[in-house]
Amino acid sequence: ALLAVSQGAEIGHAQDAPEEPEGPGTRERTAAAEAYDKGSTAYLARDYATAALWFETAHRMAPNSAALLQATRAYERGEDLPRAATLALQIMHQYPEDAEAVAYAKGLIDELAAHLVRIDVDCEACRLELEGKLIEQTSFFIEPGKKHRLIAEFDSGRREGDLFGDPGMKRLVRIDPPSEDGEPPPPVVLVPLEPEQEVELAEKRKEKPKA
């Protein structure tokens, strides 16, 4: 079985305080800048795994294309190619207005796609976990030639199963939630991702509001 991700955030305001635009505050931006600096230091020291984690931390605290781009580069230099390609997909979906970042991301995907397996998950209101780690998007890459455990959490329960494929494959996974009345859901299978299905999923992503 397999899954998909949806995340939401609540922003509270102090009583009678003027409303401010949604987004990171001064504290978050300061912490993000510190994380970015630590990532840069690690990158220059060629500790690419550590650098990537700091850049991702900076992006979570204050989302921006520069931090995500640097995380992608660090994963690429550290030869974690599935993660690099996955973040490249995220850049294209999250920052389409950044032409330079998108050009880099597209080039990287074009270079790596033939050596990885792309997974696109189609499910509603579920949270995804791959190999024990939460994932923030429903399109990602995995290493070929081995199985990867995917867990999908729904309000009514969880479904899980193995992802796998050969280099260059694109696989589509549609996951229905467990039935609340105890009836077993239909089996989840990996199928080739057809071009028209890829367009359909891309349109769905555009329709989802940003958290």
Side-chain angles (χ1 to χ4, degrees), residues 26-202:
T26 301
R27 181 179 300 178
E28 288 81 6
R29 290 196 299 270
T30 300
E34 292 174 354
Y36 191 95
D37 287 343
K38 290 179 180 179
S40 298
T41 298
Y43 191 95
L44 292 174
R46 299 185 180 182
D47 184 357
Y48 298 118
T50 298
L53 292 176
W54 279 118
F55 287 133
E56 285 199 270
T57 297
H59 181 261
R60 282 194 299 271
M61 291 177 172
N64 67 88
S65 59
L68 195 58
L69 179 61
Q70 286 302 95
T72 305
R73 287 172 169 156
Y75 279 119
E76 180 189 10
R77 294 295 295 271
E79 298 187 355
D80 187 344
L81 302 185
R83 186 61 182 162
T86 294
L87 293 191
L89 278 177
Q90 186 176 347
I91 288 172
M92 295 179 67
H93 296 154
Q94 191 168 353
Y95 301 105
E97 73 287 349
D98 189 332
E100 182 178 350
V102 167
Y104 167 81
K106 186 178 185 304
L108 184 63
I109 291 171
D110 288 345
E111 177 184 347
L112 298 180
H115 307 286
L116 301 171
V117 182
R118 175 170 168 168
I119 302 293
D120 286 85
V121 180
D122 186 10
C123 75
E124 294 294 334
C126 67
R127 298 163 297 280
L128 295 177
E129 184 178 305
L130 180 66
E131 305 284 43
K133 295 181 179 180
L134 292 175
I135 54 177
E136 299 178 353
Q137 60 189 68
T138 54
S139 295
F140 51 89
F141 287 91
I142 60 173
E143 181 183 351
K146 59 186 293 187
K147 291 183 177 181
H148 304 263
R149 196 64 172 176
L150 182 64
I151 298 174
E153 290 281 356
F154 298 86
D155 290 341
S156 57
R158 69 158 54 183
R159 300 192 66 190
E160 58 184 279
D162 292 322
L163 300 174
F164 53 89
D166 296 325
M169 279 188 172
K170 292 182 179 181
R171 313 298 295 271
L172 173 66
V173 184
R174 284 201 168 97
I175 307 172
D176 295 318
S179 173
E180 295 184 357
D181 59 13
E183 289 294 323
V188 175
V189 294
L190 287 167
V191 299
L193 181 64
E194 301 297 335
E196 61 271 16
Q197 293 172 319
E198 192 168 358
V199 172
E200 175 188 343
L201 290 171

